[in-house]
Amino acid sequence: MRRVTLVLVSLLSCLSVLVRGEDPYLFFTWNVTYGTLSPLGVPQQVILINGEFPGPKINCSSNNNIVVNVFNNLDEPFLFTWNGIQQRKNSWQEGLPGTNCPILPGTNYTYHFQVKDQIGSYFYYPSMGMHKAAGGFGGLRVNSRLLIPVPFADPEDDYTILIGDWYTKSHSALKKILDSGRTLGRPDGVLINGKSGKPDGNDEPMFTMIPGKTYRYRVCNVGLKNSLNFRIQGHDMKLVELEGSHTVQNVYQSMDVHLGQCYSFLVTADQEAKDYYMVASTRFTKSVLTATAIMRYANGKGGPASPALPEAPAGWAWSLNQFRTFRWNLTASAARPNPQGSYHYGQINITRTIKLVNTAATLDGKLRYAVNGVSHVDPETPLKIAEYYGIADKVFKYDIIKDEPPTSEDKITMEPNVLNATFRTFIEIIFENHEKSVQSWHLDGYSFFPVAIEPGTWSPEKRKNYNLLDAVSRHTIQVYPKSWAAIMLTFDNAGMWNVRSAALERQYLGQQLYISVLSPARSLRDEYNLPDNSLLCGLVKGMPMPPPYSIGA
Ligand SMILES: *[C@@H]1O[C@H](CO)[C@@H](O)[C@H](O)[C@H]1NC(C)=O
Ligand SMILES: *[C@@H]1O[C@H](CO)[C@@H](O)[C@H](O)[C@H]1NC(C)=O
Ligand SMILES: *[C@@H]1O[C@H](CO)[C@@H](O)[C@H](O)[C@H]1NC(C)=O
Ligand SMILES: *[C@@H]1O[C@H](CO)[C@@H](O)[C@H](O)[C@H]1NC(C)=O
Ligand SMILES: *[C@@H]1O[C@H](CO)[C@@H](O)[C@H](O)[C@H]1NC(C)=O
Ligand SMILES: *[C@@H]1O[C@H](CO)[C@@H](O)[C@H](O)[C@H]1NC(C)=O
């Protein structure tokens, strides 16, 4: 009788889960500490999460609730951000200095967010100061719920590969260099999942593949400065997804992965059963930095990898042409990068064009980077929280930059840089890069359609060459030197969203801004309230809580 009751109860609770659509929860407790490792052979300070470098992977499925309790055991304030996770109605979980008060040393704070139907590959990283230069990053993958089909067969296994350039100096030493007005200079090496690889071929394998089977490799550039090329000796890489969108499945021998970007490939173990090198090397640099890692065939005779590494492509043109081969798979039902439905984005009228030009300048003898003449600084009171408490005017001014950049590029000011965008409007953003180095722009809160990248300067006539049909919806886009990129999106996610150069030095020295998207009704339909557990700091500390958003509004 008791057993019957138990079965009944559990049946009922299953039913209620189904009926109420209660989405599953994944809980994580992360202890953030310093440690000492020698990724390039020299002992240095790194940031560990539960002792791991890179940090633990978050493996979740669409609609999962992710709860991460972060214990900051560093000697500095700390935050994590979830690069590419859209945080619908929920910029409270962005974990940036413009949206959140930092987690003070010796304290903890719990992030709580729900991932939606953005099935694909992402990463998280520490967002304050130069912390990212010390690690603290890790992979984050969103799998499809069983109901939603994915346009390829289940791979045998799923591997996360975080590649990035790397400095042997500590994050505080790097910060000191930038604070003193100097530039970081060249990185010291490249890492693949925290390792640089020895050239003698005697490394332990990072991954193994069973002959004949197909694997998914998710490759993200978590570095600070350089675009990287990724390739696997002797193996084709079939691109299936990038930053949450399923692509037309083209085959590549190598892929340029710019700062902040993620790609996933299917790789089949269809070669002689031995070891092979995976290679990540810097692009567009005078001296090339390279890292390798071993991929081994299981059950093979285990021959060593050939020391002849596959060559990287040369030049910008190759990279631009590769970008132009990316196409969104319009018939794949799985990917819904924009749940609000701008599938026919090419037919929506543009309501506003914002042109953003990145510049480098010297201010009071110190190097700063700017967007349209403004070098962003984070006020002590986070922008979003000041706005919520109704004291934005005490903390920052909206729209200090215009939609057109100023004509003089060497005069800049330092202040918080916040644009006001009208909720639900369809906006075109042009990123124009007059500098000699490649740029990589990231937008939080959305995925966008990158409709063109071209050399030269932008003008309205260039719109006739846009890809208005099947651009791959994503969150980070490269802009080559003396070139521009155009993106389009509907600003339908209320919140305070960061636009940043994914190059950490540029970001830290002001090349970023926020876009405030407010729903005119303070309505829970459009945006969540400030969570109860939010940390408060600056001017809002001790202020009475503002009236919450309401359901009916
Ligand atoms: C975090 O790690 C440090 C160093 O290992 C340890 O002293 C501390 O107790 C840990 N804290 C938690 C909350 O696990
Ligand atoms: C990740 O999650 C998926 C779906 O829940 C599961 O099938 C898979 O085994 C998990 N992979 C790892 C490496 O935990
Ligand atoms: C800190 O961690 C404890 C559990 O150890 C938890 O109960 C508490 O809610 C956490 N505090 C915050 C602000 O997240
Ligand atoms: C696009 O997705 C569909 C549906 O899953 C799949 O059958 C098709 O092969 C994919 N097309 C390409 C070109 O990759
Ligand atoms: C877009 O603009 C054109 C020209 O102004 C107008 O005719 C058309 O109706 C608009 N389309 C939509 C969907 O609003
Ligand atoms: C922002 O734009 C909205 C919509 O155009 C407008 O109603 C609002 O007054 C603007 N806010 C500020 C602070 O400029």
Side-chain angles (χ1 to χ4, degrees):
M1 184 61 207
R2 189 141 169 248
R3 191 175 287 166
V4 169
T5 322
L6 262 179
V7 167
L8 242 173
V9 167
S10 47
L11 257 178
L12 279 175
S13 62
C14 279
L15 267 177
S16 70
V17 165
L18 285 177
V19 169
R20 275 192 282 129
E22 175 86 72
D23 297 310
Y25 277 74
L26 299 183
F27 294 94
F28 301 87
T29 302
W30 283 359
N31 188 3
V32 179
T33 62
Y34 287 125
T36 303
L37 290 175
S38 310
L40 290 177
V42 195
Q44 67 178 110
Q45 185 190 62
V46 295
I47 292 177
L48 306 173
I49 303 172
N50 298 346
E52 292 179 47
F53 172 83
K57 284 191 269 292
I58 293 185
N59 178 30
C60 59
S61 297
S62 42
N63 285 356
N64 285 177
N65 289 289
I66 312 296
V67 180
V68 190
N69 190 353
V70 178
F71 288 79
N72 175 11
N73 282 303
L74 307 184
D75 53 356
E76 291 185 4
F78 186 86
L79 284 171
F80 279 116
T81 191
W82 320 93
N83 201 67
I85 296 300
Q86 279 176 32
Q87 310 292 11
R88 302 297 309 177
K89 313 180 192 181
N90 201 5
S91 61
W92 307 116
Q93 307 296 328
E94 280 289 280
L96 294 170
T99 57
N100 292 75
C101 296
I103 311 169
L104 296 177
T107 69
N108 69 302
Y109 166 73
T110 308
Y111 289 88
H112 181 174
F113 56 90
Q114 187 173 27
V115 294
K116 301 292 186 177
D117 278 348
Q118 43 170 162
I119 298 154
S121 313
Y122 309 91
F123 63 92
Y124 61 84
Y125 70 89
S127 63
M128 297 198 67
M130 294 294 289
H131 289 167
K132 191 188 185 197
F137 42 71
L140 197 170
R141 69 172 75 135
V142 181
N143 302 297
S144 162
R145 274 169 298 156
L146 290 175
L147 295 172
I148 305 177
V150 165
F152 48 88
D154 259 358
E156 180 70 14
D157 209 339
D158 193 321
Y159 297 139
T160 295
I161 304 184
L162 304 180
I163 58 178
D165 51 16
W166 187 258
Y167 291 84
T168 50
K169 290 195 176 72
S170 70
H171 73 84
S172 14
L174 295 172
K175 183 167 174 288
K176 251 185 222 138
I177 293 175
L178 296 180
D179 290 344
S180 76
R182 289 173 296 143
T183 168
L184 292 187
R186 270 180 291 175
D188 300 299
V190 171
L191 302 184
I192 302 178
N193 286 346
K195 298 190 170 73
S196 59
K198 290 190 283 305
D200 59 8
N202 289 331
D203 285 324
E204 285 301 303
M206 192 172 276
F207 302 117
T208 54
M209 300 206 292
I210 297 167
K213 302 283 188 192
T214 296
Y215 294 77
R216 182 170 184 172
Y217 284 68
R218 304 178 190 247
V219 184
C220 299
N221 186 339
V222 298
L224 268 50
K225 196 176 182 101
N226 289 127
S227 299
L228 299 176
N229 181 266
F230 179 82
R231 51 208 185 273
I232 308 175
Q233 229 173 17
H235 288 76
D236 285 340
M237 310 192 299
K238 185 192 272 186
L239 179 69
V240 290
E241 174 259 341
L242 64 85
E243 294 160 26
S245 296
H246 288 117
T247 62
V248 167
Q249 298 176 4
N250 298 326
V251 171
Y252 300 88
Q253 271 68 53
S254 79
M255 179 65 60
D256 276 353
V257 186
H258 304 276
L259 291 170
Q261 298 184 338
C262 293
Y263 295 83
S264 56
F265 309 102
L266 297 182
V267 177
T268 300
D270 54 5
Q271 299 297 307
E272 189 193 337
K274 60 184 195 87
D275 287 359
Y276 295 89
Y277 279 121
M278 300 182 282
V279 187
S281 61
T282 56
R283 286 279 272 140
F284 324 124
T285 52
K286 269 203 202 94
S287 59
V288 176
L289 301 167
T290 303
T292 57
I294 298 279
M295 184 266 284
R296 173 164 295 172
Y297 275 51
N299 318 322
K301 289 179 211 79
S306 156
L309 299 184
E311 294 251 345
W316 306 105
W318 187 93
S319 198
L320 177 55
N321 286 336
Q322 181 168 64
F323 164 79
R324 288 181 173 151
T325 62
F326 301 153
R327 290 281 185 272
W328 201 16
N329 183 340
L330 297 175
T331 55
S333 50
R336 292 180 176 277
N338 188 340
Q340 273 54 49
S342 344
Y343 292 103
H344 301 290
Y345 64 93
Q347 289 157 32
I348 307 174
N349 287 339
I350 298 166
T351 55
R352 179 176 173 191
T353 298
I354 304 174
K355 189 164 142 195
L356 300 176
V357 173
N358 50 277
T359 53
T362 315
L363 196 68
D364 300 330
K366 291 183 175 180
L367 174 66
R368 291 294 301 186
Y369 292 100
V371 183
N372 289 9
V374 173
S375 186
H376 174 80
V377 284
D378 292 311
E380 195 197 351
T381 312
L383 307 164
K384 178 64 193 168
I385 297 182
E387 197 178 56
Y388 187 78
Y389 272 77
I391 56 160
D393 58 332
K394 295 201 174 67
V395 175
F396 65 93
K397 282 213 281 290
Y398 291 93
D399 299 324
I400 49 170
I401 62 167
K402 304 283 162 258
D403 288 356
E404 276 290 322
T407 44
S408 156
E409 291 203 351
D410 41 3
K411 268 213 228 69
I412 62 166
T413 57
M414 275 172 70
E415 43 199 324
N417 193 354
V418 184
L419 275 181
N420 178 26
T422 308
F423 188 47
R424 296 199 172 126
T425 51
F426 188 69
I427 294 181
E428 174 189 45
I429 300 179
I430 313 296
F431 294 108
E432 209 168 85
N433 179 15
H434 302 168
E435 297 187 70
K436 282 183 298 195
S437 52
V438 67
Q439 181 61 273
S440 188
W441 282 108
H442 172 87
L443 169 64
D444 277 333
Y446 299 93
S447 69
F448 54 71
F449 296 97
V451 291
I453 304 181
E454 279 187 25
T457 51
W458 180 84
S459 61
E461 307 81 72
K462 305 282 182 180
R463 289 190 183 121
K464 63 179 186 298
N465 298 330
Y466 282 2
N467 176 357
L468 293 179
L469 181 65
D470 57 1
V472 186
S473 179
R474 65 187 309 177
H475 56 66
T476 303
I477 194 69
Q478 73 271 22
V479 191
Y480 300 102
K482 315 258 179 221
S483 301
W484 55 270
I487 68 168
M488 292 175 162
L489 69 148
T490 303
F491 278 85
D492 56 5
N493 190 14
M496 178 71 79
W497 307 109
N498 190 233
V499 182
R500 58 178 173 269
S501 167
L504 190 58
E505 171 173 11
R506 289 173 169 273
Q507 196 186 108
Y508 178 77
L509 293 178
Q511 210 154 67
Q512 55 170 309
L513 63 133
Y514 284 83
I515 300 187
S516 163
V517 185
L518 282 179
S519 149
R522 275 177 85 95
S523 165
L524 284 174
R525 183 197 58 205
D526 300 327
E527 190 172 11
Y528 299 142
N529 281 311
L530 179 78
D532 290 341
N533 73 337
S534 289
L535 302 173
L536 297 177
C537 54
L539 296 179
V540 299
K541 222 171 163 176
M543 271 182 69
M545 196 59 153
Y549 296 155
S550 58
I551 295 166

